[in-house]
């Protein structure tokens, strides 16, 4: 097969396209990865390689409420790990997973750059500063009530 | 000339603004997290209710993150005041007191605002401003990042206009003579990099702005992009002109959504005014920029890794040479610089190389930007001349340790940096001085650690991060860092033996030598520096199974001192997430060790006047305490 000449503008579009798909579906469905490979004329393995390499990509659906626990240095030093453990305990899932009812998913991120408010938790894009296991429980109760109405 | 007209209009906008009372609210990511959005909403409705029509601008971060949300009130003919930790209750007071009336509400103020010769804000009431020198940050937090006219009105894009009338060699020469060094961490001379790229005959050429700030604890690039995106853009266009490239890419971390938003907007606005795109400012030079959202990979911040990421591949770094300036993006000559590096360029062009050269130390010129986080009173962002000592940063700029504590070390530059102990705080901020301490400048993220932080745990944390982020291309990094992590994990769990410390040191040195890129080569820095400066702590973990800082979970236990426990207070029992607190109403509480998950909630909720909950290490100490108390009862 003739090697496709690399297009300065198309190469960078692979990751961009995957990000867009993920924004639409909340994750990267398998059949979509196949479509992307066909679209860019590259082997499917390359697309899988990219999808599994970068942290933002998820191959499983995410929950209605997406909880990110920041595990940057400042968050770690001020008790981020204890917050993460509390989240796992309360949601009864391990980090990276989604609750069976698809209501919550839990993810760890390496520093969102809000170090002076450490430790922080991000729920659907909103940053909650100075968390503790107890405050996380309270936050979750608040989210649960919001989710049920 | 068209830009002249835009500039006149922009200057008029700034002048009009300065003649009116107006309010600035800092709404960068950190400000929002502290509640700035609510403040903006509250302000707008309060002003509306009172029928006051004055501009309320949402601006970026001044670096005073400890006081966020910040509100600045500019009042012609009176004091300009900055207010700290503003919330909805203080909004009403401010509008009534200082917008409608003449009371500057000093009880809510952080200080007054004056401006230095660079136009940078100074708050004379804060001691840190005696030591700061703001070049890059001079507009951050006082200029509307979403309004290109505001940037132009205070002198923005004038350096670009000047550049376009200079021969390319002269522009490069100016940067070379200024001795600006790359601010991504490694400190390579910028001018030489530009010259190399400019010399290449191959076409097309590319310019890449590296905004993939992945170091945990560093957020200066985010703040610069959120607060003053045009400054970086201007520097990048100047670089494009200097090396004769027509295409540029800005690669921003996906985690930085607001920075992305600001950069995209800045790019569109610059295009609209003919400052970017085809025939820049009406000249023959064309420059297009694409903004690329990263996908989260620490290694993508390494320049060759970054290039692969932009090409849509896995960002696995490759061996250099050839350097990107020779063969980079799509195999073509490529100039890769950090956000901060590009951001210095307009100032250097505007003020001349001599002025930049006159600031700093013999081999490190200009200013340095640091993020200050961790156990200090006033965390935030600062810009100081190179050569300032770490002591100054810790005790003057960052406000010193929190009550009753002692700063024991600075972790600098994330995993690539190292740990500098307090005995070396006399060191100046300087590329070479840092290297001599076994650390490096890195990206400039500083985390202050006090006696409550464990250096072994911190090293373990970084190695956990690194082994997760290693791209896996070379064995030393892929397997070496994993083994280093296992060793550290063993130590923090109290399962290690003395010879493990020797193993740890030897393997760390091997990984440092044997890795391909900066990620692997710098990964052992946190281990090597802590072994060098805090060997005692490692020994305590290994030999006594004790964590002196009371951090490592496997080596500590929580204990309630019976005579200090107020029998009627049930706080710990009610909040324990796993029902590990025993003791009936009216009786002293105790911790059921088998159930305890060591989350620390009991200690946090125990009222300070009792302070009945303590942490003990090693765990065997628990037995003594229990026996002691048993005897008393």
């Amino acid at each position: 097969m003739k090697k496709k000449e690399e297009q300065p503008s198309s190469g960078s579009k692979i990751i961009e396209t995957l990000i867009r798909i993920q924004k639409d579906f909340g994750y990267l469905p398998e059949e979509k990865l196949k479509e992307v490979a066909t679209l860019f004329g590259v082997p499917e393995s390359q697309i899988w390689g990219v999808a599994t390499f970068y942290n933002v990509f998820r191959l499983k659906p995410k929950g209605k409420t997406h909880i990110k626990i920041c595990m940057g240095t400042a968050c770690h030093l001020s008790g981020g790990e204890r917050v993460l453990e509390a989240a796992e305990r309360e949601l009864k899932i391990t980090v990276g997973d989604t609750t069976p009812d698809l209501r919550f998913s839990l993810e760890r991120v390496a520093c969102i750059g809000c170090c002076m408010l450490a430790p922080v938790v991000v729920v659907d894009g909103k940053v909650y500063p100075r968390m503790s296991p107890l405050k996380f429980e309270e936050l979750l109760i608040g989210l649960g009530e919001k989710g049920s109405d | 000339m068209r830009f002249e007209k835009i500039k006149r209009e922009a200057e008029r906008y700034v002048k009009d603004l300065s003649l009116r009372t107006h309010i600035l609210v800092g709404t960068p990511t950190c400000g929002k997290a502290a509640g700035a959005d609510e403040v903006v909403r509250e302000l707008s409705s309060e002003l509306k209710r009172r029928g006051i029509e004055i501009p309320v601008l949402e601006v970026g971060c001044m670096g005073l993150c400890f006081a966020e949300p910040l509100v600045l009130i500019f009042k012609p003919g009176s004091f300009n005041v900055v207010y700290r930790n503003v919330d909805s209750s203080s909004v009403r007071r401010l509008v009534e007191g200082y917008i409608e009336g003449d009371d500057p509400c000093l009880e809510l103020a952080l200080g007054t605002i004056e401006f230095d010769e660079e136009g940078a804000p100074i708050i004379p009431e804060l001691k840190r401003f005696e030591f700061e020198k703001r070049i890059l940050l001079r507009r951050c937090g006082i200029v509307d990042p979403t309004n290109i006219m505001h940037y132009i009105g205070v002198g923005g894009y004038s350096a670009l206009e000047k550049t376009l009338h200079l021969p390319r060699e002269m522009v490069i020469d100016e940067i070379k003579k200024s001795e600006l060094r790359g601010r991504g961490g490694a400190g390579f001379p910028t001018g030489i990099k530009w010259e190399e790229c400019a010399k290449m005959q191959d076409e097309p050429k590319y310019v890449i702005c590296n905004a993939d700030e992945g170091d945990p604890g560093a957020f200066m690039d985010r703040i610069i992009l959120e607060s003053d995106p045009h400054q970086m853009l201007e520097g990048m266009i100047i670089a494009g002109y200097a090396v004769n490239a027509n295409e540029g890419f800005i690669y921003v971390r996906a985690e930085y959504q607001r920075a992305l938003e600001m950069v995209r907007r800045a790019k569109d606005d610059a295009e609209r005014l003919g400052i970017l795109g085809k025939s820049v400012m009406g000249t023959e030079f064309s420059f297009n920029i694409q903004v690329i959202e990263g996908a989260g990979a620490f290694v993508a911040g390494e320049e060759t890794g970054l290039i692969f990421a932009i090409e849509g591949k896995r960002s696995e770094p490759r061996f250099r040479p050839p350097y990107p300036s020779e063969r980079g993006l799509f195999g073509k000559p490529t100039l890769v610089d950090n956000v901060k590096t590009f951001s210095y360029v307009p100032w250097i062009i505007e003020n001349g190389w001599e002025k930049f050269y006159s600031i700093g130390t013999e081999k490190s010129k200009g200013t340095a930007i640091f993020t200050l986080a961790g156990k200090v009173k006033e965390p935030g962002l600062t810009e100081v001349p190179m050569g300032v000592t770490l002591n100054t940063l810790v005790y003057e700029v960052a406000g010193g340790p929190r009550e009753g504590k002692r700063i024991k070390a600075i972790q600098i530059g994330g995993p690539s940096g190292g740990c500098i102990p307090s005995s070396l705080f006399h060191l100046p901020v300087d590329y070479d001085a840092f290297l001599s301490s076994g650390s490096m400048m890195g990206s400039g993220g500083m985390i202050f650690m006090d006696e409550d932080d464990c250096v072994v745990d911190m090293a373990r944390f970084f190695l956990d991060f690194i082994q997760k982020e290693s791209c896996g291309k070379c064995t030393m990094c892929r397997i070496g860092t994993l083994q280093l992590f296992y060793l550290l994990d063993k130590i923090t769990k109290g399962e290690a033996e003395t010879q493990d410390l020797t193993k740890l040191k030897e393997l760390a040195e091997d990984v440092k030598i044997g890795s391909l890129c900066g990620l692997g080569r710098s990964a052992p820095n946190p281990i090597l520096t802590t072994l060098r400066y805090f060997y005692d702590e490692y020994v305590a973990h290994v030999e006594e199974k004790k964590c002196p800082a009371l951090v490592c979970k496997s080596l500590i236990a929580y204990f309630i001192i019976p005579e200090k426990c107020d029998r009627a207070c049930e706080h710990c029992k009610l909040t324990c997430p796993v029902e590990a607190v025993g003791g009936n109403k009216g009786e002293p509480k105790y911790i059921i060790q088998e159930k305890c998950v060591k989350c620390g909630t009991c200690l946090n909720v125990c009222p300070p006047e009792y302070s009945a909950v303590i942490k003990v290490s090693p765990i065997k100490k628990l037995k003594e305490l229990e026996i002691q108390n048993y005897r008393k009862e």
Side-chain angles (χ1 to χ4, degrees):
Chain A
M1 204 172 91
K2 204 176 140 225
K3 196 174 175 290
K4 222 179 144 173
E5 178 78 12
E6 271 181 322
Q7 290 297 314
S9 49
S10 82
S12 55
K13 296 279 193 286
I14 293 182
I15 294 178
E16 213 173 289
T17 310
L18 292 178
I19 289 176
R20 213 161 28 229
I21 293 172
Q22 181 155 298
K23 272 183 185 154
D24 289 349
F25 291 84
Y27 75 113
L28 295 176
E30 207 176 318
E31 64 277 6
K32 286 285 160 196
L33 293 182
K34 285 196 182 111
E35 283 174 30
V36 174
T38 319
L39 182 69
F40 288 96
V42 296
E44 216 178 296
S45 60
Q46 188 185 326
I47 304 297
W48 274 96
V50 169
T52 51
F53 186 85
Y54 293 96
N55 298 330
V56 298
F57 296 127
R58 273 182 306 273
L59 299 165
K60 281 187 270 183
K62 77 167 180 177
K64 203 174 131 203
T65 303
H66 191 53
I67 302 174
K68 290 185 205 168
I69 314 273
C70 182
M71 286 304 238
T73 320
C75 288
H76 173 77
L77 289 179
S78 46
E81 204 156 315
R82 292 201 299 270
V83 178
L84 180 74
E85 283 165 3
E88 290 186 328
R89 196 167 52 232
E90 297 300 320
L91 294 169
K92 297 187 183 70
I93 51 174
T94 48
V95 68
D97 274 344
T98 302
T99 52
D101 59 3
L102 292 181
R103 274 184 64 191
F104 295 102
S105 47
L106 184 63
E107 191 190 340
R108 61 179 281 167
V109 289
C111 198
I112 56 155
C114 286
C115 308
M116 52 289 182
L117 302 169
V120 298
V121 168
V122 187
V123 181
D124 293 333
K126 185 167 163 44
V127 181
Y128 292 86
R130 299 192 182 96
M131 292 307 282
S132 68
L134 188 63
K135 277 172 85 177
F136 182 82
E137 272 181 60
E138 286 162 5
L139 171 67
L140 208 58
I141 293 168
L143 291 172
E145 282 164 3
K146 204 179 74 191
S148 61
D149 58 40
Chain B
M1 185 71 206
R2 219 175 134 230
F3 182 68
E4 279 305 307
K5 212 177 127 218
I6 298 170
K7 202 170 158 181
R8 270 200 304 277
E9 199 185 310
E11 278 163 357
R12 200 161 45 236
Y13 165 78
V14 171
K15 186 149 186 258
D16 287 349
L17 193 65
S18 72
L19 294 174
R20 300 179 65 183
T21 296
H22 61 283
I23 306 176
L24 308 184
V25 185
T27 55
T29 309
C30 39
K32 279 176 186 287
D37 284 342
E38 284 82 7
V39 170
V40 173
R41 263 201 304 277
E42 202 70 33
L43 249 176
S44 311
S45 65
E46 188 66 28
L47 289 172
K48 205 172 158 194
R49 222 168 42 140
R50 292 168 187 263
I52 305 169
E53 265 185 56
I54 57 167
V56 177
L57 308 183
E58 290 189 32
V59 295
C61 181
M62 263 183 113
L64 307 171
C65 308
F66 65 94
E68 284 186 313
L70 282 182
V71 169
L72 285 70
I73 297 182
F74 286 87
K75 207 170 172 181
S78 187
F79 301 114
N80 299 326
V81 191
V82 52
Y83 299 94
R84 63 177 299 160
N85 306 108
V86 177
D87 57 22
S88 38
S89 66
S90 37
V91 162
R92 176 178 282 200
R93 166 99 181 90
L94 288 180
V95 173
E96 206 174 80
Y98 203 37
I99 300 294
E100 280 195 326
D102 286 320
D103 170 16
C105 307
L106 290 176
E107 78 282 4
L108 301 171
L110 181 65
T112 51
I113 306 171
E114 289 167 17
F115 294 93
D116 71 3
E117 51 179 19
E118 310 293 343
I122 293 178
I123 300 173
E125 290 85 353
L126 292 187
K127 207 170 175 201
R128 63 193 287 161
F129 284 91
E130 285 171 36
F131 305 93
E132 290 208 359
K133 165 87 188 159
R134 295 188 173 210
I135 293 181
L136 285 199
L137 301 183
R138 68 190 185 279
R139 278 181 295 254
C140 292
I142 53 166
V143 163
D144 181 356
T146 61
N147 185 352
I148 189 170
M149 295 308 262
H150 205 159
Y151 179 73
I152 295 173
V154 294
Y157 287 115
S158 296
L160 174 63
E161 199 204 10
K162 189 173 164 188
T163 303
L164 294 171
H165 296 102
L166 294 174
R168 298 196 145 86
E169 306 75 55
M170 242 177 104
V171 180
I172 294 175
D173 210 43
E174 198 77 10
I175 301 299
K176 250 173 86 177
K177 282 192 188 143
S178 74
E179 291 193 12
L180 169 67
R181 293 170 73 168
R183 294 300 203 260
F188 189 80
T190 307
I192 294 181
K193 205 189 222 179
W194 286 27
E195 194 173 44
E196 287 300 312
C197 189
K199 269 201 296 209
M200 294 295 147
Q201 297 299 320
D202 206 0
E203 281 192 10
K205 287 182 194 172
Y206 300 105
V207 175
I208 297 176
C209 172
N210 185 350
D212 187 64
E213 183 174 56
D215 268 12
F219 50 89
M220 58 284 282
D221 290 357
R222 168 179 75 70
I223 285 188
I224 291 170
L225 294 179
E226 285 183 15
S227 311
D228 195 10
H230 285 286
Q231 180 174 229
M232 184 280 292
L233 212 57
E234 184 176 2
M236 201 177 158
I237 306 170
I238 293 173
Y241 173 80
V243 303
N244 201 11
N246 302 108
E247 221 167 323
F249 294 87
I250 306 173
Y251 186 92
V252 187
R253 272 185 95 192
E255 286 87 341
Y256 288 176
Q257 284 300 322
R258 189 161 173 84
L260 265 162
E261 198 186 304
M262 291 298 164
V263 171
R264 286 195 172 120
R265 166 136 201 190
K267 184 205 128 184
D268 291 346
D269 289 346
E271 277 171 358
R272 198 167 37 79
L273 294 185
I275 290 167
L276 192 61
K278 206 170 150 52
S279 112
V280 173
M281 289 184 175
T283 62
E284 280 169 23
F285 170 62
S286 295
F287 196 66
N288 288 302
I289 288 181
Q290 279 186 53
V291 179
I292 294 187
E293 179 173 348
F298 182 59
V299 71
E302 202 276 347
E303 60 176 6
T304 58
L306 177 62
I307 286 169
F308 284 123
I310 296 179
E311 289 175 356
K313 296 171 186 151
R314 298 160 63 115
S315 52
E316 292 173 340
R318 63 160 173 78
F319 190 71
R320 298 174 304 176
Y323 286 90
S325 51
E326 208 177 315
R327 277 209 359 242
L329 190 64
F330 305 111
K332 302 292 178 187
T334 305
L335 179 74
V336 188
D337 271 321
N338 174 267
V339 173
K340 294 180 283 291
T341 315
F342 281 133
S343 299
Y344 277 111
V345 169
W347 191 85
I348 294 173
I349 300 287
E350 190 79 38
N351 293 280
W353 66 268
E354 294 94 336
K355 199 163 174 195
F356 189 82
Y357 187 86
S358 70
I359 306 166
T361 62
E362 202 196 330
K363 288 198 173 147
S364 304
K365 298 296 180 191
T367 55
I369 296 191
F370 294 104
T371 46
L372 315 165
K375 309 290 179 65
V376 280
K377 277 193 208 134
E378 300 183 348
L381 180 78
T382 190
E383 182 171 5
V384 290
M386 292 271 189
V388 153
T389 65
L390 292 172
N391 266 321
T392 305
L393 278 177
V394 176
Y395 298 102
E396 312 293 351
V397 179
R402 294 186 187 159
E403 296 323 317
K405 301 288 176 186
R406 192 179 58 82
I407 300 284
K408 76 172 181 191
I410 303 177
Q411 161 64 37
I412 178 159
S416 34
C419 214
I420 300 181
S422 56
S423 57
L424 292 179
F425 283 1
H426 59 275
L427 280 180
V429 166
D430 172 295
Y431 286 96
D432 307 296
F434 278 14
L435 280 177
S436 74
S437 72
S439 181
M440 62 188 269
M441 195 84 107
S443 52
M446 282 191 180
I447 313 264
F448 300 98
M449 299 168 73
D450 67 13
E451 50 212 276
D452 293 340
D453 297 315
C454 170
V455 292
V456 188
D457 171 70
M458 198 269 308
R460 178 188 170 278
F461 162 78
F462 277 120
L463 265 294
D464 177 42
F465 174 78
I466 284 289
Q467 60 89 16
K468 284 196 177 93
E469 290 293 331
S470 169
C471 78
K473 186 169 174 171
C474 55
T475 324
M476 265 305 173
C477 180
R478 182 180 64 242
I479 301 173
T481 58
L482 184 63
Q483 292 303 324
L484 287 173
F485 168 73
Y486 285 151
L487 279 170
L488 288 165
D489 197 47
K490 247 169 94 177
I491 298 171
T492 56
K493 285 190 172 136
E495 293 160 2
E497 292 152 29
T498 308
Q499 72 244 39
D500 286 325
L501 290 180
T502 321
K503 262 194 224 166
L504 182 72
K505 184 159 189 283
E506 285 174 1
L507 184 55
E509 273 157 1
D510 290 342
V511 171
K512 198 177 169 104
I513 302 165
S515 297
L516 174 74
C517 80
L519 177 99
R521 277 205 301 264
S522 60
N525 279 345
I527 300 178
L528 290 169
T529 49
T530 48
L531 275 173
R532 187 160 148 194
Y533 300 121
F534 297 96
Y535 193 70
D536 290 357
E537 282 196 35
Y538 279 90
V539 173
H541 281 74
V542 175
E543 287 174 4
E544 298 167 54
K545 312 293 175 207
K546 173 182 169 186
C547 178
L550 301 169
V551 170
C552 295
K553 245 171 67 176
S554 312
L555 305 182
I556 61 161
Y558 287 84
F559 182 75
I560 299 174
I561 305 169
E563 57 263 41
K564 282 195 168 186
C565 178
D566 178 333
R567 278 125 227 251
C569 161
E570 302 255 293
H571 289 175
C572 53
K573 196 172 178 181
L574 293 171
T575 51
C576 176
V578 289
E579 293 171 357
V581 180
N584 292 324
K585 226 180 172 107
E587 290 172 6
K589 307 293 175 290
Y590 58 89
I591 289 167
I592 308 161
Q593 296 296 337
E594 301 74 45
K595 279 188 173 179
C596 178
V597 290
K598 298 176 190 176
C599 69
T601 301
C602 52
L603 193 148
N604 291 342
V605 298
C606 185
E609 59 269 35
Y610 310 142
S611 310
V613 186
I614 55 164
K615 288 193 265 187
V616 293
S617 179
I619 292 182
K620 66 175 183 214
K621 220 171 139 189
L622 208 55
K623 276 241 152 54
E624 295 165 27
L625 284 169
E626 274 164 0
I627 293 167
Q628 254 176 35
N629 284 295
Y630 175 76
R631 283 206 194 115
K632 272 183 208 148
E633 302 228 342

